[in-house]
C-alpha cells in the first residue's frame, strides 16, 4: 500500500524565515543597546560610513542653511536606524 505523507505536510516557506529574521533584527535594534541608533557612537558610525554620500551632504547643507533642525534630526535618525539594521542583520545571520 502506498502512503504519501508528504502530501499532508505544509510546504517549505522561505518567506516565513525571512519574516522571522526581520523581526529579530527589529527587536535587536529596538531593544539591544549594542544596536541602539540613538547611541552617540552608533550614530557617529552610521554618518561616518556615508561620508562620501553627496546626497546626504547636500541635504545636511540645505537643512543647516534653512535652519530646519527637525528635518535634519529626523533624516539622521532614520539614516542611523537603517545602518544599525544592516549591522544587526550581519551579526545575527
Amino acid at each position: 500500500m502506498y502512503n504519501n505523507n508528504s502530501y499532508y505536510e505544509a510546504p517549505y516557506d522561505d518567506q516565513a524565515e525571512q519574516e522571522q529574521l526581520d523581526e529579530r533584527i527589529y527587536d535587536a535594534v529596538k531593544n539591544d543597546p549594542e544596536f541602539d541608533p540613538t547611541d552617540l557612537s552608533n550614530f557617529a558610525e552610521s554618518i561616518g560610513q556615508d561620508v562620501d554620500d553627496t546626497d546626504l551632504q547636500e541635504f545636511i547643507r540645505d537643512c543647516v542653511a534653512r535652519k530646519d533642525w527637525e528635518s535634519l534630526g529626523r533624516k539622521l535618525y532614520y539614516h542611523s536606524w537603517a545602518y544599525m539594521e544592516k549591522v544587526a542583520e550581519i551579526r545575527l545571520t
Side-chain angles (χ1 to χ4, degrees), residues 10-32:
Y12 179 72
D13 188 8
D14 190 36
Q15 186 175 2
E17 280 188 14
Q18 184 61 40
E19 288 174 0
Q20 288 176 345
L21 178 62
D22 290 344
E23 187 174 324
R24 284 181 46 217
I25 291 169
Y26 175 79
D27 287 340
V29 173
K30 187 77 174 168
N31 300 320
D32 191 349

Side-chain angles (χ1 to χ4, degrees), residues 2-12:
Y2 178 71
N3 186 4
N4 187 2
N5 289 334
S6 65
Y7 176 77
Y8 298 105
E9 293 176 6
Y12 179 72

Side-chain angles (χ1 to χ4, degrees), residues 45-58:
E45 181 181 348
S46 71
I47 295 171
Q49 290 296 320
D50 288 333
V51 164
D52 298 328
D53 184 4
T54 56
D55 293 335
L56 182 62
Q57 290 178 3
E58 288 177 20

Side-chain angles (χ1 to χ4, degrees), residues 65-79:
R66 291 178 302 176
K67 297 186 181 187
D68 188 3
W69 310 120
E70 182 180 354
S71 295
L72 178 62
R74 189 178 303 121
K75 174 73 172 184
L76 293 177
Y77 175 78
Y78 287 118
H79 183 76

